[in-house]
Structures are given as structure tokens and as C-alpha cells.
Amino acid sequence: RGIQLELDSDSVKVAYTALGPFNRDELAVALIQLIQFVGFLIRTDVINNPDITSPADLQGVNDATIACGAALLLFFVPSVKRPGEPLLTWEQAQQHLPWGVLVLMGGGAAIARGFEDSQLTKYIGQKLATTVSMGRFGLTFFLVTIVCLLTEVTSNTATANIILPILASVAAETLTHPLALLLPATVACSFAFMLPAATPPNSVVFATRRLSIRDFLKAGIILNLLASVFGSVLIYLMGSAVYGVDDPFPEWACQKKACRWVSVPGSINGVQVSSQACALTGVVGVCRLVDGTLWNFTAP
């Protein structure tokens, strides 16, 4: 857009000199950041472990708690460069923090959590079960395209939180190998090139106000089209060769709340099996095999 940035050794040296000497405030911020990283690493094994933290109950502490705690410390640790003030003041936070980006990312996460808690993901999964019949390549291309479009309006993480539980429900309902559905969708969550909300780096660049939505669209739509086509082909080929997605529904994916593993021999996708998954039907003691046969798994 006509913006030229010249970077050479002299300009870098000038910028480095302008920073001034390393001071105590910068050291304090670095230590707080280090404490935050250590907290992330030891949270599960130490902080949430009642054998270590007893009698205090810290099992409710999560990554968000640690991140917010580190941020709050910046408002309480006094500054040396600005006596009488903390390292970070509320005025500075209001002025420099990209609130729009936070609302954008947080909104996507909130939508994903709402889908999950309301059981909407399970309901949609049951309604989409018929899409499995379109063949694996068609299904792969369909999933990659849909997720590629969806991830443009929500973050990759929020898209994964929304779509993966839905596809897991579809796999359990149809007794399709879950990786045949989850693998294309997971990879496609990273095909976010077109809009600022698609991924955090896009949001950060958009927050600089040097690029407009039009600039993102012009560059991103070509990448999205190429990713949908070539990504689908690559995922289809690697799915069979590496992950065995054409195999029968695996035992590790048979969760008790939706499935039972029964000793019923048969042929599934050309593979002879001695036992197989059986999807629960809602009738006590009755499940459905992949060929549609109803089976009483409580019978001796």
C-alpha cells in the first residue's frame, strides 16, 4: 500500500539506543512473565494437586486464573521510573490494550462453550449424520470447505471447539471412523487467511489500522481456494496412508455414553472383524450395528 520500511543495522542500533539502559521496571515485568510461564507448566501437576496444596483447595485454578493473576500484579508492583505509580496504570491499559481483539477472541470462545453446554453440538451432529453417505473424498472436500469458511468469522480455536464435538457426534451416530471427519476439520481450522477475526495474527495486524478488510479479502480469497482444493486432496491421501481412516470404527473411540463394544463378527468396509462398535439407540439394552442391525448387548 505504498508503505516502505527500511531496516538496516544503523536503524536497529538507533532504535536499541533509544530504549535506554535495562531498568528495574523491565526486570519486574520479565519476572512476572516468568512466574506466569512457570505457573502454566506446573498447574496440573502441582497447583491442582491436592496432595501438595492441601489444606488449600486450588483445583479450580486454571490457565485463565494464572494469566489474570499475572496481569493484576502489574497494577500493584510499584514503578521505579514513575514513583508513586504501578508498573501498569489503568489509563495506559485503556489506551494501548486492543480491546476489540479481546472481545473478538473471547466472543468466539463464548459461542463455542454455549454450543457445548446447550447440547446443540450433539443435536446438529445427529442431523448431519446423512452427510457421511457422500463418499470419503466428497466428505473431506465438504468439511474442508465448510470449516474454511467458518473459521473466517471465528478464531481457529473457537471453530475447533464448535465443529469438532459436532463431528464427533456424527461419527458416533454413524459409526464412521472419527478421524475421517475430525482430521479434515482440524486441519481446515488453520486455513484462515481472509478476515481479521480468523486468527490472532490477522487480528493483531488489523489492529494496526494499516490494512483494511478489502486488503485481507484480496490476498486471502486466493489462498482459501487453493487450500480447500489442494488441502482436501492431501488430507484424503494421507488419511488412508497414515491414519487408516478407511478402517472400521475403532474401539478406542467407543465411548460408553454413546457406544458399546460387542463381540459380533462381520465384514466392515471389506475388513473381517470379530468384534465391533454398536451405537446406543436410546432403548435400554439395545444398540445398533454399523449395518443397521439392532443388538441386545445385555443378553448373555
Side-chain angles (χ1 to χ4, degrees):
R1 300 191 62 195
I3 300 175
Q4 295 183 352
L5 297 176
E6 296 183 1
L7 295 177
D8 53 35
S9 59
D10 293 336
S11 61
V12 173
K13 290 179 181 178
V14 171
Y16 180 76
T17 303
L19 292 176
F22 188 74
N23 56 65
R24 183 260 189 192
D25 286 5
E26 293 171 339
L27 175 62
V29 172
L31 290 176
I32 292 174
Q33 188 75 75
L34 179 62
I35 292 172
Q36 179 181 352
F37 288 154
V38 172
F40 288 150
L41 294 174
I42 68 172
R43 178 181 64 82
T44 303
D45 297 326
V46 178
I47 299 177
N48 295 148
N49 189 342
D51 295 334
I52 298 176
T53 59
S54 182
D57 184 8
L58 301 180
Q59 296 187 52
V61 175
N62 54 30
D63 289 342
T65 309
I66 297 172
C68 290
L72 287 174
L73 279 178
L74 298 175
F75 290 98
F76 289 98
V77 177
S79 170
V80 172
K81 292 183 65 175
R82 302 185 310 276
E85 295 184 4
L87 293 173
L88 178 66
T89 64
W90 181 241
E91 290 75 15
Q92 292 172 327
Q94 286 180 307
Q95 182 178 357
H96 298 290
L97 194 64
W99 296 101
V101 175
L102 290 180
V103 173
L104 194 68
M105 304 301 293
I111 292 173
R113 182 61 181 270
F115 271 45
E116 182 179 354
D117 290 351
S118 65
Q119 299 295 313
L120 184 59
T121 54
K122 183 177 181 180
Y123 174 79
I124 296 176
Q126 293 172 346
K127 297 302 180 182
L128 290 178
T130 55
T131 60
V132 178
S133 62
M134 65 175 60
R136 197 168 73 79
F137 181 75
L139 182 63
T140 299
F141 182 76
F142 173 76
L143 289 175
V144 169
T145 303
I146 293 299
V147 175
C148 190
L149 294 175
L150 179 60
T151 194
E152 295 297 344
V153 294
T154 61
S155 69
N156 348 26
T157 306
T159 302
N161 288 339
I162 294 172
I163 202 71
L164 294 186
I166 293 176
L167 296 179
S169 297
V170 172
E173 183 72 17
T174 61
L175 296 178
T176 303
H177 197 299
L179 291 184
L181 305 177
L182 301 181
L183 185 61
T186 303
V187 175
C189 285
S190 297
F191 294 164
F193 309 110
M194 212 163 50
L195 294 176
T199 186
N202 287 14
S203 302
V204 171
V205 172
F206 184 69
T208 64
R209 299 184 180 180
R210 292 190 177 187
L211 297 176
S212 64
I213 297 292
R214 183 178 179 182
D215 296 318
F216 279 92
L217 288 173
K218 287 168 59 179
I221 191 169
I222 299 176
L223 292 174
N224 273 27
L225 292 174
L226 292 175
S228 295
V229 175
F230 291 104
S232 298
V233 174
L234 184 61
I235 294 168
Y236 174 78
L237 296 175
M238 291 190 64
S240 298
V242 180
Y243 299 100
V245 298
D246 291 324
D247 295 341
F249 193 86
E251 185 174 1
W252 58 261
C254 189
Q255 304 294 323
K256 287 188 176 181
K257 61 181 180 181
C259 170
R260 290 293 185 274
W261 194 259
V262 295
S263 297
V264 179
S267 177
I268 303 175
N269 297 335
V271 179
Q272 292 294 328
V273 297
S274 58
S275 57
Q276 57 183 291
C278 191
L280 298 181
T281 61
V283 179
V284 178
V286 178
C287 60
R288 186 188 71 257
L289 300 177
V290 67
D291 61 359
T293 303
L294 297 179
W295 186 265
N296 185 353
F297 60 86
T298 59

